[in-house]
Amino acid sequence: QVRLVMKAHSFIRENVPRVLSSVKDKSGTAHIPRISQYLYFLFAPTLIYRDNYPRNPTIRWGYVATKFAQVLGSLFYAYYIFVRLCIPQFRNSSQETFNLRGLVLCIFNSILPGVLILFLVFFAFLHCWLNAFAEMLRFADRMFYK
């Protein structure tokens, strides 16, 4: 939802001044973006609206399949981390009476799996998912991390 709000803000910020200046000049030729341009912007991995983006000539479907396979592999690895490292810690703590020592041990034993999950989320979504959609949309500007 935050991403969609940021995209809507960028779309409005880029287009409202153009429309207002054409109304002010009374030129009658206001450049209003087409629906297809807005839909492309919604799915493109960028937060800055432009009417046209650099495009690749072809789609590399092998690359797309590889990126989606990496997302799937990341999901399975995250499931493995939860099952082997997180769930046993909290299953044992739910059967014991509450004490501060047990809480601190659970927290410290969950730090490493939590960091691994954060790295997996970064890799799966920001690298694999966005690159797969960029390739399917033939989006050529792949400077996501800048």
Side-chain angles (χ1 to χ4, degrees), residues 43-122:
F43 288 100
T46 183
L47 292 174
I48 299 171
Y49 177 79
R50 298 286 180 254
D51 289 332
N52 296 312
Y53 295 98
R55 306 280 299 265
N56 289 332
T58 60
I59 299 173
R60 298 174 294 173
W61 290 107
Y63 182 79
V64 172
T66 301
K67 292 301 173 189
F68 280 133
Q70 288 175 350
V71 169
L72 192 62
S74 297
L75 289 174
F76 281 124
Y77 188 51
Y79 172 76
Y80 178 78
I81 289 171
F82 273 115
V83 168
R84 300 293 282 171
L85 299 173
C86 294
I87 292 175
Q89 290 295 322
F90 292 103
R91 184 177 298 146
N92 293 338
S93 66
S94 65
Q95 296 171 352
E96 300 171 1
T97 59
F98 177 76
N99 60 8
L100 187 60
R101 181 179 180 273
L103 177 68
V104 170
L105 283 175
C106 265
I107 290 172
F108 280 112
N109 287 333
S110 299
I111 288 175
L112 181 62
V115 170
L116 288 173
I117 296 295
L118 284 174
F119 284 144
L120 279 173
V121 167
F122 175 79

